[in-house]
């Protein structure tokens, strides 16, 4: 089932997510719905806060990047098959020199900005079967994971922008929160005036 994606301005996007247990109600159904929602919006990642749940859960599928001709064949092949569910994730380490990449977010449609992040991360998480993993990721995969991880920490990519950039997009963000935007996927806007 395709769920509405929560738009910028909703308090749930600023909450730090809570850990869940393997007995979380209908976890498999939730994951199925989240994947369906993400694909419906042509996303490469989706975090639980983006569908209104303040829990530590996000998913990533970078196959959309596999067509990027700016990447070498090895990275394209890796991105094509990278699909993971991250539950109760904790980033243990971020290393390397920060690099900029133009990021967007399904909760903040039509806003894209360069964000600086470290290129390599080590993360501890549980998969959909509640098996524990500790893995190191680099490059674009690491970046997508960092972006989604920020969501479960109550951080949006716009929080990482300079104060000048924030001022420049303030009006756009306000319009998004009010639903004054055209999107081709289901959204829930926190400050939308109710139609009479």
């Amino acid at each position: 089932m395709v769920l509405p994606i929560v738009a910028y301005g909703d308090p749930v996007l600023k909450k730090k997510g809570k850990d869940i247990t393997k007995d979380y109600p209908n976890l498999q159904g939730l994951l199925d719905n989240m994947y369906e929602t993400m694909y419906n919006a042509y996303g490469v990642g989706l975090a639980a806060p983006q569908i209104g749940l303040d829990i530590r859960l996000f998913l990533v599928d970078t196959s959309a990047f596999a067509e990027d001709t700016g990447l070498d064949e090895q990275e394209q092949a890796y991105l094509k098959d990278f699909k993971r569910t991250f539950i109760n994730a904790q980033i243990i380490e971020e290393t390397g020199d920060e690099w900029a990449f133009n990021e967007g977010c399904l909760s903040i449609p039509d806003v894209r900005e360069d964000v600086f992040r470290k290129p390599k991360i080590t993360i501890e998480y549980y998969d959909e079967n509640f098996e524990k993993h500790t893995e190191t990721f680099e490059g674009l995969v690491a970046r997508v994971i960092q972006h989604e991880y920020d969501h479960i920490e109550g951080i949006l990519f716009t929080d990482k922008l300079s104060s000048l950039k924030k001022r420049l997009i303030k009006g756009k963000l306000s319009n998004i929160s009010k639903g004054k935007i055209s999107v081709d996927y289901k959204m829930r806007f926190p400050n939308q005036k109710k139609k009479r």
Side-chain angles (χ1 to χ4, degrees):
M1 181 173 71
V2 174
L3 306 166
I5 292 174
V6 172
Y8 179 89
D10 192 300
V12 74
L13 294 175
K14 289 296 188 182
K15 280 187 182 165
K16 196 174 161 121
K18 297 186 281 277
D19 280 354
I20 61 171
T21 64
K22 61 173 171 289
D23 305 322
Y24 189 82
N26 193 15
L27 180 59
Q28 193 50 58
L30 172 62
L31 292 173
D32 292 345
N33 290 344
M34 283 181 70
Y35 273 108
E36 196 178 336
T37 301
M38 176 177 79
Y39 294 136
N40 178 65
Y42 302 102
V44 292
L46 185 69
Q50 293 181 278
I51 55 155
L53 299 173
D54 61 341
I55 57 174
R56 297 185 76 79
L57 164 64
F58 64 88
L59 17 125
V60 169
D61 182 341
T62 58
S63 54
F65 286 127
E67 308 300 308
D68 188 336
T69 51
L71 303 168
D72 64 42
E73 279 178 33
Q74 193 180 350
E75 187 158 25
Q76 282 179 323
Y78 183 62
L79 291 165
K80 186 166 90 71
D81 298 322
F82 191 87
K83 179 179 171 179
R84 295 282 163 87
T85 298
F86 293 83
I87 299 172
N88 301 343
Q90 291 293 337
I91 288 182
I92 301 163
E93 189 180 34
E94 295 179 304
T95 54
D97 295 328
E98 290 195 340
W99 61 294
F101 186 80
N102 198 259
E103 291 189 22
C105 178
L106 295 177
S107 292
I108 315 173
D110 290 349
V111 174
R112 297 196 65 86
E113 293 291 342
D114 283 349
V115 178
F116 284 86
R117 298 187 189 274
K118 294 196 183 293
K120 190 174 182 179
I121 60 164
T122 301
I123 189 168
E124 202 172 76
Y125 68 97
Y126 292 88
D127 64 20
E128 61 279 6
N129 303 312
F130 259 84
E131 283 172 27
K132 194 172 187 180
H133 303 266
T134 303
E135 286 184 274
T136 299
F137 299 106
E138 290 184 72
L140 220 41
V141 163
R143 175 168 292 267
V144 176
I145 292 169
Q146 286 165 309
H147 177 107
E148 298 309 325
Y149 181 83
D150 278 353
H151 275 299
I152 64 170
E153 290 289 317
I155 299 166
L156 296 170
F157 85 90
T158 49
D159 298 334
K160 296 183 174 288
L161 303 176
S162 69
S163 44
L164 172 65
K165 273 278 192 318
K166 283 180 188 161
R167 279 203 304 275
L168 292 172
I169 62 170
K170 194 176 174 198
K172 242 182 182 177
L173 295 177
S174 171
N175 282 341
I176 290 168
S177 75
K178 293 173 186 157
K180 293 181 180 174
I181 185 158
S182 147
V183 274
D184 52 8
Y185 51 88
K186 254 200 310 198
M187 287 195 82
R188 194 175 89 209
F189 301 100
N191 302 323
Q192 190 168 33
K193 297 271 183 279
K194 301 281 180 268
K195 292 192 174 74
R196 288 177 188 271

